[in-house]
Amino acid sequence: MLSKSNWSSKIDDIYFMKKAIKLAQKAYDIGEVPIGAVVVAPDGKIIGRGYNLVEKNNNPLAHAELCAIAKAAKKIGDWRLEGCSIYVTLQPCGMCFHAVGVSRCSRLVYGAESPLFGYPLDSVNGIQIYKKHVEEIVGGVCGEQAAKLLKCFFKKRRIEKGDRDEK
């Protein structure tokens, strides 16, 4: 299930991931963990955009993926996002991965790996219930760019909190 992007969709994947990275930059600019997400309809139009708003909204559910999924569902008037792809700058946590499955997105494309918080996407045991909905998972698209933004954010945060050992 975890796969590398094929050449026919690689250009589209990069294009949409760059849109998600722009949203992650918005999160960075307001002091949120810089994660962005876009939901793309089967016709190639972006129908949902989101970035982390956990701190701003004081809401632990305001992850980029959930914001983008909610906007996409509202835009099309249906919670079922069948045939849609979601692009997110960081490997989703368990909550967000399951939301992708519940919303019936067909593809999940993410940028940077998240070994600490990311849901183990290649674990067949953990995702059986959603396997029929999430048909393809593609990792590493613009991963270095997404990871760099996250590293800059956390380095800045450590410096602001007084950790002078950071360079």
Side-chain angles (χ1 to χ4, degrees):
M1 190 158 156
L2 188 62
S3 70
K4 301 246 186 236
S5 179
N6 64 35
W7 287 108
S8 64
S9 65
K10 188 172 185 173
I11 292 171
D12 288 341
D13 286 349
I14 292 168
Y15 173 80
F16 290 118
M17 187 60 70
K18 287 187 177 192
K19 298 290 187 186
I21 289 170
K22 285 183 181 182
L23 292 166
Q25 182 65 53
K26 284 186 174 187
Y28 180 97
D29 292 343
I30 63 169
E32 293 279 351
V33 176
I35 301 171
V38 296
V39 176
V40 179
D43 66 1
K45 292 184 179 159
I46 296 175
I47 58 172
R49 291 177 171 82
Y51 54 90
N52 270 3
L53 292 168
V54 172
E55 299 295 336
K56 183 178 181 198
N57 292 352
N58 239 355
N59 181 350
L61 304 178
H63 287 204
E65 299 94 317
L66 299 183
C67 295
I69 288 169
K71 288 178 182 175
K74 185 175 182 175
K75 181 162 186 132
I76 66 168
D78 192 349
W79 62 269
R80 295 171 196 87
L81 301 176
E82 292 169 344
C84 292
S85 298
I86 185 165
Y87 293 81
V88 61
T89 58
L90 183 67
Q91 179 183 352
C93 68
M95 174 179 69
C96 292
F97 175 75
H98 285 85
V100 169
V102 168
S103 69
R104 300 184 181 177
C105 285
S106 298
R107 287 183 82 228
L108 165 63
V109 182
Y110 68 91
E113 300 282 329
S114 180
L116 186 57
F117 295 108
Y119 191 75
L121 299 170
D122 57 355
S123 170
V124 177
N125 294 333
I127 58 177
Q128 285 294 337
I129 193 165
Y130 301 116
K131 191 173 183 180
K132 65 182 178 181
H133 300 303
V134 183
E135 298 168 5
E136 182 181 19
I137 299 171
V138 180
V141 177
C142 301
E144 288 180 25
Q145 190 177 358
K148 183 178 178 182
L149 187 58
L150 285 157
K151 287 175 185 174
C152 287
F153 174 81
F154 286 111
K155 182 177 181 179
K156 179 182 171 192
R157 181 179 267 182
R158 285 189 297 273
I159 291 168
E160 288 170 353
K161 289 189 176 198
D163 186 350
R164 303 289 177 209
D165 293 333
E166 291 299 316
K167 294 180 182 175

